Amino acid sequence: MRREHGTPRDGWEKTIESQGLAYHRAAHPSGLSRPYWDESVHYIFSMDEVEALEEQVEELHGMCLRAVEHVVSAGRFADFAIPAWAWEEVARSWERRDPHVYARFDLRYDGTGPAKLLEYNADTPTSLVESSVVQWFWLQDVHPGGDQWNSVHERLIDRWRTLSLPPGPTHFAFTNMDETGEEAMTVAYLQETAEQAGLQTMAIAMEDIGWDALNRRFMDVEGRMIRSAFKLYPWEWMLADEFGRHAVRHATWIEPLWKTLLSNKALLAILWELYPDHPSLLPAYLDGPRELTSYIAKPLLGREGASMRIVTPEETQETPGTYGQEGYVFQGFEALPVFEGQRPVLGAWVVADEAAGLGIRETTGYITDDTSSFVPHRIAD
């Protein structure tokens, strides 16, 4: 694994915008010294590294599924701050094996040993368009004939083909709260992969989904019944909504309700409990840092690096935010590796239950947040 410099393509901004990364300016805070999409650098991996990472990702995913089974069978929903009224519905969703499509592991990796799990974005992962499409076309333009850890697009299409969904169109829901366009473009891309798989689809805003109390069903703005829907909208928000009690019982939602147990950072503590000292895990606890002298306190439902606290013998750092009332997990802290002053985090994609590709974000700080830049990668010739 190494970081290499290159010359950005002429007109790269218009190129990536035409490929779906229309939000690259709006999603990145102004005043930063580098753009969100930065093709002036990229990472190179050996095929051996990629194959080892694929194995580790699929092993981690299997461990996570077994962790869900443990939580459901032991009834440990309170550890995840899930409202008590939804516990039985989460269990039923898992027992039915409600269909799932994709997820993203965030990993610490420096090329010298096993990757370490930082968290699992299993409900509403983004940075998909840049991982699946934009960096692939970068590779074709800049390194024609080169290789990349990236079968995301093909695997998404294959996954939609295998799902057994109710009759009628599958609705693809974004939220009007999205000010940057990132979520809308991510949903539009996933809708396109579903259409390529032969599904009939409809786009809709979450805010436009209606509840027909008389017939007990969800409806779109044109009065069509919503039988199945992909939503880039967190389950914890849905469970807090007045319609949440209906959502858990009506329609097929992707990602499914049982993914509340994978997208919640309490998962990290459950994994450490089930697989202590596993080489791809960092120690993690729900009741405090215990023996850890260096740790990071992560809110169970936190997003974009908000409301975190890093504690080491030398210093304490905190990030602003409003999360944390739901509780924290305390995870052993290992700083991200440094490559030319930048700290990369590997976003390893899982489609269905298989490793599918890689996206890399990097920043100078310890925590990867909305100030980070996405950089492409390739496999060594």
Side-chain angles (χ1 to χ4, degrees):
M1 177 181 179
R2 68 180 188 274
R3 190 173 188 265
E4 189 167 284
H5 294 256
T7 302
R9 294 165 293 176
D10 291 338
W12 63 267
E13 298 97 331
K14 290 184 178 179
T15 298
I16 66 172
E17 289 166 7
S18 71
Q19 294 163 352
L21 199 56
Y23 50 85
H24 70 101
R25 304 177 200 270
H28 207 44
S30 60
L32 299 179
S33 60
R34 61 189 300 207
Y36 170 66
W37 168 269
D38 188 356
E39 61 181 63
S40 69
V41 294
H42 65 276
Y43 283 84
I44 300 178
F45 297 83
S46 70
M47 183 60 75
D48 288 344
E49 288 174 325
V50 169
E51 290 175 347
L53 285 167
E54 286 181 321
E55 291 181 7
Q56 291 161 37
V57 165
E58 293 188 359
E59 181 182 13
L60 282 169
H61 179 68
M63 291 161 56
C64 289
L65 296 182
R66 291 188 288 276
V68 173
E69 177 63 36
H70 166 75
V71 172
V72 170
S73 61
R76 298 183 61 179
F77 303 104
D79 288 337
F80 290 73
I82 295 172
W85 65 263
W87 293 0
E88 186 175 342
E89 299 299 338
V90 175
R92 287 175 177 172
S93 174
W94 171 249
E95 290 160 0
R96 290 191 303 261
R97 296 301 192 269
D98 289 347
H100 64 290
V101 173
Y102 80 127
R104 190 192 78 228
F105 282 108
D106 283 350
L107 305 172
R108 182 199 185 278
Y109 181 72
D110 60 10
T112 62
K116 298 282 189 180
L117 172 62
L118 301 175
E119 58 189 67
Y120 200 12
N121 301 279
D123 185 19
T124 58
T126 54
S127 77
L128 179 65
V129 175
E130 44 270 58
S131 297
S132 176
V133 178
V134 180
Q135 71 168 342
W136 176 255
F137 283 113
W138 165 85
L139 182 74
Q140 306 311 306
D141 288 346
V142 181
H143 299 279
D147 200 3
Q148 190 175 79
W149 181 14
N150 189 358
S151 59
V152 177
H153 186 78
E154 296 80 6
R155 288 179 183 271
L156 285 171
I157 296 171
D158 289 344
R159 181 54 173 168
W160 290 118
R161 286 183 178 138
T162 66
L163 297 187
S164 296
L165 298 175
T170 297
H171 288 71
F172 280 72
F174 56 92
T175 172
N176 287 328
M177 293 187 295
D178 174 25
E179 297 179 350
T180 66
E182 179 178 15
E183 293 183 11
M185 291 303 299
T186 302
V187 171
Y189 169 64
L190 283 160
Q191 183 178 354
E192 179 184 338
T193 62
E195 289 176 349
Q196 289 183 30
L199 271 65
Q200 181 186 359
T201 71
M202 299 286 298
I204 191 171
M206 287 293 295
E207 293 80 2
D208 290 336
I209 295 177
W211 172 249
D212 179 352
L214 179 62
N215 296 299
R216 301 190 63 77
R217 58 187 183 180
F218 286 103
M219 309 291 291
D220 65 18
V221 291
E222 297 182 19
R224 283 180 294 258
M225 180 180 178
I226 298 176
R227 293 184 173 91
S228 64
F230 172 88
K231 47 75 180 175
L232 201 67
Y233 192 85
W235 266 111
E236 63 264 24
W237 294 2
M238 294 178 69
L239 297 180
D241 189 273
E242 61 179 307
F243 293 117
R245 292 176 186 264
H246 304 311
V248 299
R249 299 182 180 93
H250 299 276
T252 297
W253 298 94
I254 301 168
E255 297 295 321
L257 180 58
W258 61 263
K259 281 256 184 133
T260 57
L261 301 177
L262 291 187
S263 59
N264 187 304
K265 294 178 184 62
L267 171 72
L268 301 171
I270 302 297
L271 286 170
W272 186 252
E273 179 183 322
L274 297 177
Y275 302 97
D277 299 316
H278 189 282
S280 289
L281 297 178
L282 294 165
Y285 309 104
L286 290 171
D287 58 358
R290 298 193 189 180
E291 80 284 355
L292 301 174
T293 56
S294 295
Y295 64 89
I296 180 168
K298 298 180 176 181
L300 301 185
L301 302 175
R303 294 176 173 275
E304 295 287 350
S307 305
M308 291 189 178
R309 184 172 74 257
I310 298 175
V311 177
T312 67
E314 293 77 30
E315 61 179 336
T316 297
Q317 295 186 23
E318 297 189 41
T319 61
T322 58
Y323 298 101
Q325 293 183 351
E326 71 279 9
Y328 287 82
V329 68
F330 301 85
Q331 183 184 44
F333 175 68
E334 289 187 18
L336 292 170
V338 178
F339 289 78
E340 299 182 314
Q342 296 289 326
R343 299 180 183 272
V345 62
L346 271 57
W349 292 96
V350 174
V351 177
D353 297 306
E354 297 181 338
L358 175 67
I360 302 173
R361 291 168 298 152
E362 62 176 17
T363 185
T364 56
Y366 289 135
I367 295 176
T368 306
D369 55 20
D370 63 355
T371 67
S372 64
S373 292
F374 188 101
V375 297
H377 79 277
R378 62 186 178 96
I379 298 174
D381 298 333

